[in-house]
Amino acid sequence: MELHELSIQQAHELLSSREISSEEITGAYLKRIHKIDSRVKSYVTVSEKVALNQAKDADQRLQASEGLSPLIGIPYSAKDSLSTRGIPTTCSSKILENYKPFYDCTAIHKLKSTSAVLLGKTNMDEFGMGSSTENSGFFTTRNPWNLDYVPGGSSGGSAAAVAAGLAVFTLGEDTGGSVRMPAGFCGVTGLKTTYGRVSRYGLIPLVSSFDTIGPMARSAYDVALVLEAIAGHDSKDSTSRLEPTGQYTEVLKRAKNLRGLRVGIPKEYFAEGLNIEVDAALKTAIKQIESLGAEAVEVSLPYTQYAIPVYYLILFAEASSNLAKYDGVRFGLSERNGKDLMDVYLKSREAGFGAETKRRIMLGTFALSAGYYDAYYLKAQKVRTLIRQDFQKAFEQVDALITPVAPTTAFRIGEKITNPLDMYLSDAHVVAVNLAGIPALSVPCGFSSAGLPIGMQIMGPHLSEEMLLKIGHLYQSQTDWHTKHPPCW
Ligand code: GLN
């Protein structure tokens, strides 16, 4: 077995018995990044020096056998919207191209305290706006399974890095599917956490009321290990949850079957427009879940049809307000040759933001303007409540819901980029979860005839991460989709 093939658990065993060192495994990953990433393009910044220093520190701690976290010495990557002290954090936007934060976001800070090793920052759609990474201000990441296809978005760089063996695990941000969708398209396991379960402190916001941070890795078990390290209340984020974190890996170690569990199959997610190969893979996966002891029943989430318009309307509004701070004065790109202050604002924003970002700022500003606020933003918030209630009602009947992650497998680069509406519709199965603030897990459950991964989404009530990971873990103990690797592996 080569070093990049080790799971977190396997690497941890070898590191703690000192059969390998963190410097060795980190070096092996950096070498692979140099060799392969010019094709996949998953990283925007490779923080080689930092990684090697962190690996040295990890090795010292391993030698002293002190505080052996399962993540000690393990190389990972993080989406470029997570603030990293002294390391560029660009959100894949020209407007932040030279921005180096003065502090770490809480999730990175927590990983630092476990002595995990940060390899670098991964590519994304600008500020998280997109479903393919084609909206990155720098370059498009490619799907490791077929380089002509998108990896999904907006955390496409993160998912591609894990799929291609360029990081053991990664952190993504999910505001409207950005962890689950790329995880599904790239054949890795990704968790959208309950809103507030992982602190948002230091995550550059897209939509403050939807944003979450979540891990992606090669198995549900590895995801659980990472969640254990990053979850929990944070006094720096007043929206973070107070409840104690779950015993994620303990639950998985004890898990034997799914007896007594009721899973709902929402009929709206299996309607017209669903690709037949995705449909077939999901049906087989549901049978597998039933064979583990769960009972599957059909349920209905009638407001699903409004999820896309409601999500995008709220997103445009909140994002336009969050992006107002980039004015060419305080930080980020600045076009100082303006004739007056307004000219500096306009020129900096014109040069710094990409087309999709500008489109969303304009739509959001319109939706929030006097006279339209009630008709659009307020109305959308009301329907958001109805969508949330859909889930509440469903969870009175069932413990979890199973759906496809996306209506299709990954699409070709360029296929949807000129048609924003078509691009938005690829999020049809993921955004309702963010409107409700609930958690959902994406697990690989098959391949299309073209050899592209298919993802299953498992949703649960607030703070049900333990249950979701248990379903994913037991499913993975019976199937081998998550162990398959793309050609560049
Ligand atoms: N596809 C979603 C969008 O474009 C992704 C948002 C996200 O999760 N960052 O808004």
Side-chain angles (χ1 to χ4, degrees):
M1 206 182 230
E2 288 187 55
L3 289 177
H4 73 275
E5 297 179 313
L6 301 169
S7 67
I8 296 180
Q9 221 184 351
Q10 290 165 329
H12 180 65
E13 273 165 29
L14 296 177
L15 283 164
S16 32
S17 62
R18 292 211 226 106
E19 281 164 71
I20 59 169
S21 69
S22 178
E23 266 191 277
E24 271 172 80
I25 184 166
T26 302
Y29 269 94
L30 289 169
K31 221 165 128 188
R32 271 182 73 77
I33 293 171
H34 290 309
K35 203 168 134 204
I36 293 171
D37 204 43
S38 55
R39 277 178 281 149
V40 179
K41 296 172 176 275
S42 58
Y43 282 86
V44 278
T45 301
V46 181
S47 43
E48 183 150 357
K49 261 200 197 134
V50 173
L52 290 170
N53 280 334
Q54 289 185 345
K56 248 188 213 136
D57 287 348
D59 282 333
Q60 270 169 14
R61 276 180 72 177
L62 278 156
Q63 235 144 49
S65 287
E66 42 174 270
L68 291 187
S69 151
L71 302 184
I72 185 167
I74 307 278
Y76 75 100
S77 66
K79 186 173 186 173
D80 212 21
S81 52
L82 275 75
S83 298
T84 43
R85 186 174 167 183
I87 299 172
T89 300
T90 68
C91 288
S92 290
S93 177
K94 292 221 165 66
I95 212 154
L96 286 179
E97 195 163 3
N98 298 311
Y99 172 59
K100 283 187 190 162
F102 295 105
Y103 67 103
D104 285 317
C105 70
T106 296
I108 295 283
H109 178 75
K110 286 191 168 194
L111 288 179
K112 248 187 199 171
S113 65
T114 69
S115 290
V117 173
L118 180 67
L119 293 168
K121 308 292 291 293
T122 47
N123 195 27
M124 55 189 280
D125 289 289
E126 186 172 26
F127 288 101
M129 302 199 235
S131 313
S132 64
T133 79
E134 289 165 293
N135 294 332
S136 163
F138 307 135
F139 47 80
T140 299
T141 299
R142 286 156 190 276
N143 191 314
W145 290 91
N146 184 330
L147 300 176
D148 295 332
Y149 285 75
V150 303
S154 63
S155 315
S158 294
V162 172
L166 304 177
V168 186
F169 70 91
T170 189
L171 293 185
E173 155 269 335
D174 192 314
T175 300
S178 282
V179 163
R180 289 159 286 154
M181 214 249 216
F185 278 10
C186 292
V188 302
T189 306
L191 177 68
K192 186 261 172 213
T193 49
T194 302
Y195 181 77
R197 179 69 298 177
V198 177
S199 169
R200 287 185 299 115
Y201 179 75
L203 169 67
I204 298 183
L206 172 54
V207 182
S208 309
S209 70
F210 296 157
D211 293 345
T212 56
I213 293 175
M216 291 188 231
R218 297 180 201 144
S219 67
Y221 195 89
D222 277 4
V223 165
L225 282 168
V226 181
L227 183 63
E228 234 148 46
I230 62 170
H233 177 69
D234 178 10
S235 57
K236 291 185 182 129
D237 171 7
S238 58
T239 59
S240 75
R241 304 279 303 222
L242 290 160
E243 291 86 345
T245 55
Q247 303 280 310
Y248 308 110
T249 47
E250 275 314 307
V251 167
L252 302 195
K253 280 183 201 149
R254 289 197 307 264
K256 296 219 160 50
N257 57 56
L258 296 176
R259 253 176 254 144
L261 193 91
R262 270 167 77 83
V263 296
I265 314 300
K267 59 174 190 227
E268 292 79 4
Y269 284 74
F270 289 82
E272 221 188 292
L274 182 64
N275 171 287
I276 48 169
E277 291 184 322
V278 175
D279 187 45
L282 259 290
K283 295 218 161 107
T284 311
I286 292 165
K287 287 219 178 81
Q288 198 88 41
I289 303 263
E290 284 181 302
S291 75
L292 283 158
E295 181 195 352
V297 293
E298 190 182 90
V299 295
S300 173
L301 299 167
Y303 287 102
T304 300
Q305 56 175 313
Y306 303 112
I308 286 278
V310 167
Y311 165 79
Y312 273 98
L313 211 134
I314 297 173
L315 179 141
F316 296 156
E318 286 193 34
S320 72
S321 128
N322 269 330
L323 293 169
K325 62 177 161 289
Y326 303 102
D327 57 6
V329 176
R330 284 167 288 186
F331 49 86
L333 183 132
S334 182
E335 293 287 333
R336 294 198 191 279
N337 58 351
K339 59 180 185 314
D340 53 24
L341 185 61
M342 182 54 93
D343 206 35
V344 171
Y345 289 166
L346 294 176
K347 283 193 169 138
S348 303
R349 289 168 72 82
E350 165 61 25
F353 289 136
E356 177 63 19
T357 304
K358 285 177 191 154
R359 177 182 297 122
R360 294 189 188 200
I361 291 172
M362 283 193 278
L363 287 164
T365 310
F366 174 77
L368 288 176
S369 56
Y372 293 110
Y373 181 91
D374 289 2
Y376 295 114
Y377 186 67
L378 209 64
K379 183 83 164 247
Q381 288 291 11
K382 286 181 182 163
V383 185
R384 177 185 189 173
T385 304
L386 293 173
I387 290 171
R388 194 181 299 147
Q389 287 168 353
D390 254 5
F391 283 107
Q392 278 163 0
K393 281 182 206 145
F395 291 131
E396 283 165 15
Q397 300 169 48
V398 295
D399 302 294
L401 296 164
I402 294 186
T403 76
V405 173
T408 63
T409 50
F411 41 92
R412 270 182 190 278
I413 292 174
E415 191 179 322
K416 293 184 197 276
I417 195 70
T418 52
N419 185 344
L421 214 55
D422 209 18
M423 187 75 89
Y424 299 166
L425 286 172
S426 59
D427 299 339
H429 292 171
V430 280
V431 294
V433 160
N434 300 77
L435 294 169
I438 58 174
L441 181 72
S442 171
V443 279
C445 73
F447 287 90
S448 69
S449 46
L452 292 164
I454 297 174
M456 158 164 71
Q457 174 171 233
I458 315 167
M459 312 167 177
H462 291 116
L463 300 178
S464 64
E465 280 85 353
E466 281 177 353
M467 173 190 67
L468 299 182
L469 290 165
K470 175 176 161 182
I471 301 173
H473 177 64
L474 287 173
Y475 175 75
Q476 291 182 336
S477 69
Q478 305 283 310
T479 55
D480 62 359
W481 305 115
H482 65 293
T483 65
K484 307 263 191 245
H485 300 298
C488 64
W489 182 262

